[in-house]
Amino acid sequence: MEIKHEKLDKKGRFFIEIENLKVAEMTYTYAGNEKIIIDHTEVKESLKGQGIGYKLVEAAVSYAREQNIKILPLCPFANAVFKKRKEYSDVLF
């Protein structure tokens, strides 16, 4: 499954589409130029348990590293992932 990234002004999202239907999405908002706030993660019920949410967070971490920005995970799911994955601490705000 391909994770796509869309950035619109101060907001953005990482998402997966299957047959033009959005099946997973993680949204964020820029807080200044050096930080994004992950505010929501959603995965369709039929895909739960397959690690899709983790892949969305991983995509955001890669993006943050590329852009040299930090992430504030306000979304409960993303926050839990950051607590489990200490290797993401370099981008944690």
Side-chain angles (χ1 to χ4, degrees):
M1 282 181 231
E2 177 189 2
I3 296 177
K4 298 177 181 178
H5 181 212
E6 181 177 71
K7 185 179 167 202
L8 304 168
D9 194 32
K10 295 288 182 185
K11 294 185 177 277
R13 66 184 183 137
F14 293 92
F15 62 101
I16 297 172
E17 289 179 330
I18 297 177
E19 297 177 4
N20 293 324
L21 295 174
K22 182 184 70 175
V23 296
E25 178 180 59
M26 184 183 65
T27 59
Y28 66 86
T29 303
Y30 265 88
N33 293 324
E34 298 176 1
K35 175 175 56 177
I36 60 172
I37 299 170
I38 296 175
D39 50 29
H40 182 71
T41 305
E42 184 173 351
V43 177
K44 291 282 185 198
E45 194 65 39
S46 62
L47 295 175
K48 290 196 175 176
Q50 297 182 36
I52 303 297
Y54 280 91
K55 291 179 194 291
L56 293 172
V57 174
E58 184 178 315
V61 168
S62 293
Y63 175 73
R65 287 175 177 154
E66 290 167 8
Q67 300 298 311
N68 198 30
I69 59 175
K70 299 292 184 181
I71 296 175
L72 177 59
L74 290 186
C75 161
F77 175 80
N79 191 25
V81 172
F82 271 88
K83 287 180 179 174
K84 290 179 188 174
R85 302 269 170 106
K86 299 301 180 196
E87 65 270 26
Y88 294 166
S89 64
D90 61 311
V91 297
L92 187 60
F93 180 81

